[in-house]
Amino acid sequence: VTFEEFVYSRGAALVRFARVLTNDDDRADDLVQDVLASVLVKWRRVSKTDHPDIYVRRMIVNANRSWWRRLSNHELSVAATPDRAAGHDIAHHIVERDHHWEMIAELPVRQRAVLVLRYYEDLDDASIAEILDISRVTVRTAAMRALNTLRERHVSRLAPTPRSTQ
Amino acid sequence: MTNELDQLDQRYLESLRRRMGAPVDTLALLSGAQRRSRRLRVRSHAMRGLGGAVALAVLVAGGMGVVRAVRDGRPGAIVGGSGPTAATLHAPLPPIANGASTAASAIGTDPSLLHFAVPDLVTDSEVTTWISVDGLEGVEFRKDDRWAEVSIARSESALDGLRDWHTSSNGDPYIPGTPTVTQPSPPPDLHRSVKVGDVTGMLYSWSNPPESAGNWLYLRWQPAPGVWAQMFGSFVNFNDAQPVVDIATTLRLDTVYRCVVPFELTSTPTGARLRSCHLSLFDRDAGQGFSSVLTIGTATAELRIESSPKRAESGGSPTTTIGGHPAWVDNSNGTRLRIPTFGELGLEITGSGDYAGLPTVKGVAEGVHVATDIDDLSTWPARTIG
């Protein structure tokens, strides 16, 4: 497979993965282009690996870490979403969807990455562990914690706000 | 879809899918990557243009860190800092009178020693691998789009057999269990004579495949009577052989180093001797690390001891334990004992021939003494076999 074929077939998935890692579309594009530029330089070697896709994803994970270190740029917390009026119109649906994404975005980057790789990319735990350089047990733990966190936040958001008795 | 997600509000997954499903312009992605790649190459070419050997010197790493200079049989003084890739542990022997001819008789005779150096090379290689085996000694390095290896032997035929023991992968560190890459043979009609110092060498330069961006370079020369040397490598968009020749001229034969690994074997079968020592240090995308391979044995038996930083335990219930560490046995090809966590090391020991029995393999494993701090080369044992 040539480099061009690889980018055409896997590029979109790589960018989407980077979007979830970075939570910033522009930065994700930048990150993936940088990584692919490095990959192109050593494509002959990369293409000989058993799983170039996993290799490149791992480079993206590491590049994202390096990017954080280099710029001392920590992920911005998403501001709390104000309460919305109840309703079932399209606008409300979009707001709800955005809110769901915000809750996912608030997860630690590793948990986000595991969710994406496991439930969107359908990768097995061994591949995820290789990409993120963690053990399979850690993959399972991260997935479990991410789902639990989402459930808890969802429940707490639905729960009525206690009124003051004062 | 797993049960755990079935139980979760599917709207989260839908939100994730929508987020992930946003359009991506792969054409723009490709052109952007190609543009940045060209800049990377221009930058590396510019570095080379800064000055011949000095610029290409960036190819080689703190490879000096993988070996310790031998001074009266003891490890040399530590010159560099701590950490595998930062350490520079070379303290050359005082120049030996008529050193080259003296070294020639010793080259390839003791796999624990390396009798050469490429001292002008600097310490920012991504991967450096030192290899010493019966009859051959070598160092391999990688930087960006270039990799090369320098090998010495007492005969051309020994260099011809280099691919038989080559255990790294075109400049990549050797990772135990992974297939290696076969080096291409130089086409016999694409060579020319070049001067390497005072001697004449033969340089082969070709592309393989012809339309690829990378060029192969292969240089063979005699740095001293009785010594053959070879430099082999791949250089993307690189047509000028002079920097390669300049590196070759820095080869020195008046220095002896000891190959070290992050452990010592204190229990080996009777009659077994060291047959090869191989160490890779790397600092690249996946982070810093190392891998080592020792082989010991006789004409009819071999034990291969591979090490790397400890790994996650996997593969079901352990078959046995070594010093309290869970271990897995695989008998499909000889006896392979895998110990993902042996202190700070991950170990794999494979016995074959007369050493294929599990008791032999376990006996060696139980005698492994791990370095005090695997991240500090100064704590690595001076001897591979105690």
Side-chain angles (χ1 to χ4, degrees):
Chain A
V1 62
T2 66
F3 175 77
E4 288 76 12
E5 289 168 342
F6 175 79
V7 174
Y8 281 128
S9 64
R10 304 302 305 153
L14 295 174
V15 170
R16 287 168 184 148
F17 175 57
R19 283 176 181 169
V20 174
L21 280 185
T22 62
N23 196 23
D24 180 323
D25 289 5
D26 291 336
R27 213 177 95 206
D29 290 349
D30 202 46
L31 189 69
V32 175
Q33 283 196 16
D34 267 346
V35 166
L36 288 176
S38 300
V39 168
L40 176 54
V41 168
K42 50 189 174 186
W43 176 245
R44 186 167 45 203
R45 181 160 56 103
V46 174
S47 64
K48 284 175 182 166
T49 60
D50 288 338
H51 304 288
D53 185 66
I54 288 178
Y55 184 93
V56 176
R57 283 175 191 271
R58 187 163 178 169
M59 286 180 72
I60 289 172
V61 171
N62 288 323
N64 186 45
R65 287 183 190 142
S66 300
W67 194 91
W68 275 25
R69 281 196 295 267
R70 194 164 59 243
L71 299 184
S72 299
N73 190 334
H74 297 282
E75 189 172 4
L76 297 174
S77 297
V78 177
T81 306
D83 288 338
R84 308 281 181 177
H88 296 285
D89 57 9
I90 294 175
H92 172 70
H93 181 68
I94 293 172
V95 167
E96 281 294 292
R97 200 178 65 211
D98 288 346
H99 186 79
H100 291 146
W101 168 248
E102 286 168 4
M103 286 207 272
I104 293 172
E106 285 176 338
L107 293 171
V109 65
R110 178 188 285 175
Q111 292 182 17
R112 279 206 313 269
V114 167
L115 282 188
V116 170
L117 294 170
R118 216 177 193 209
Y119 300 117
Y120 185 82
E121 299 282 351
D122 266 339
L123 292 180
D124 59 32
D125 287 355
S127 299
I128 298 171
E130 193 175 346
I131 290 169
L132 300 177
D133 196 20
I134 56 180
S135 70
R136 278 189 264 191
V137 172
T138 307
V139 170
R140 286 194 290 273
T141 304
M144 186 181 67
R145 285 182 179 160
L147 295 172
N148 284 342
T149 301
L150 291 177
R151 289 190 190 106
E152 286 167 9
R153 288 179 183 171
H154 186 69
V155 169
S156 66
R157 181 168 171 267
L158 293 179
T161 305
R163 289 170 182 264
S164 169
T165 56
Q166 297 287 317
Chain B
M1 191 62 56
T2 63
N3 289 333
E4 54 198 323
L5 259 190
D6 289 337
Q7 296 164 10
L8 182 72
D9 188 340
Q10 289 291 327
R11 284 174 292 181
Y12 283 110
L13 186 59
E14 181 194 342
S15 180
L16 184 65
R17 283 189 176 129
R18 285 182 180 276
R19 173 75 177 176
M20 297 284 287
V24 174
D25 186 347
T26 48
L27 192 60
L29 181 68
L30 176 63
S31 61
Q34 288 171 327
R35 189 174 57 250
R36 293 180 192 207
S37 174
R38 281 194 291 273
R39 282 207 299 267
L40 281 176
R41 286 172 177 166
V42 166
R43 204 159 59 207
S44 67
H45 283 221
M47 284 180 66
R48 281 200 292 271
L50 287 176
V54 174
L56 255 185
V58 299
L59 285 167
V60 172
M64 298 304 168
V66 308
V67 288
R68 293 177 170 182
V70 176
R71 189 191 299 276
D72 299 330
R74 296 191 301 274
I78 299 170
V79 177
S82 61
T85 54
T88 305
L89 300 175
H90 65 127
L93 282 170
I96 304 168
N98 195 21
S101 60
T102 303
S105 63
I107 288 169
T109 58
D110 181 351
S112 70
L113 300 176
L114 297 119
H115 299 83
F116 75 102
V118 196
D120 290 347
L121 301 172
V122 296
T123 60
D124 68 343
S125 172
E126 295 172 357
V127 182
T128 304
T129 299
W130 291 85
I131 310 163
S132 182
V133 300
D134 281 340
L136 280 165
E137 301 171 9
V139 63
E140 182 179 300
F141 44 89
R142 167 177 285 285
K143 177 67 178 174
D144 294 332
D145 55 348
R146 296 155 287 168
W147 73 268
E149 62 181 20
V150 178
S151 309
I152 61 170
R154 282 178 294 162
S155 69
E156 272 202 285
S157 59
L159 289 177
D160 290 339
L162 187 147
R163 268 172 283 172
D164 295 337
W165 56 265
H166 197 267
T167 50
S168 61
S169 300
N170 285 1
D172 279 347
Y174 172 67
I175 305 298
T178 58
T180 56
V181 177
T182 303
Q183 297 176 0
S185 298
D189 54 337
L190 294 177
H191 66 272
R192 60 189 168 96
S193 297
V194 294
K195 274 288 184 188
V196 183
D198 297 330
V199 301
T200 300
M202 194 63 73
L203 178 74
Y204 296 78
S205 175
W206 77 102
S207 294
N208 189 20
E211 68 276 10
S212 72
N215 292 319
W216 297 97
L217 288 164
Y218 174 102
L219 173 64
R220 188 174 281 192
W221 76 105
Q222 266 199 287
V227 183
W228 285 90
Q230 176 175 292
M231 187 165 174
F232 181 84
S234 172
F235 301 80
V236 171
N237 293 330
F238 183 54
N239 296 307
D240 179 9
Q242 190 56 45
V244 175
V245 173
D246 289 340
I247 287 182
T249 58
T250 67
L251 174 71
R252 281 172 51 175
L253 298 170
D254 59 358
T255 305
V256 182
Y257 296 104
R258 185 183 296 281
C259 186
V260 293
V261 294
F263 60 88
E264 181 180 6
L265 300 175
T266 64
S267 173
T268 56
T270 304
R273 68 178 189 88
L274 183 67
R275 299 179 68 183
S276 73
C277 180
H278 173 131
L279 178 66
S280 291
L281 298 179
F282 49 92
D283 183 3
R284 56 176 200 169
D285 309 321
Q288 290 190 351
F290 67 86
S291 66
S292 75
V293 183
L294 287 184
T295 57
I296 63 173
T298 66
T300 58
E302 183 176 279
L303 282 161
R304 181 181 176 90
I305 303 99
E306 306 175 357
S307 83
S308 56
K310 67 181 178 183
R311 285 173 265 174
E313 294 175 4
S314 59
S317 302
T319 316
T320 184
T321 59
I322 302 294
H325 305 294
W328 284 258
V329 177
D330 175 7
N331 292 312
S332 58
N333 187 15
T335 296
R336 186 168 70 106
L337 184 64
R338 187 167 55 84
I339 317 166
T341 302
F342 191 89
E344 292 300 311
L345 283 186
L347 280 178
E348 286 195 19
I349 303 179
T350 305
S352 56
D354 295 344
Y355 294 160
L358 181 59
T360 303
V361 175
K362 286 183 73 173
V364 171
E366 285 163 350
V368 171
H369 280 189
V370 181
T372 310
D373 180 359
I374 64 167
D375 293 326
D376 181 357
L377 275 171
S378 68
T379 70
W380 289 21
R383 295 188 303 180
T384 51
I385 299 179

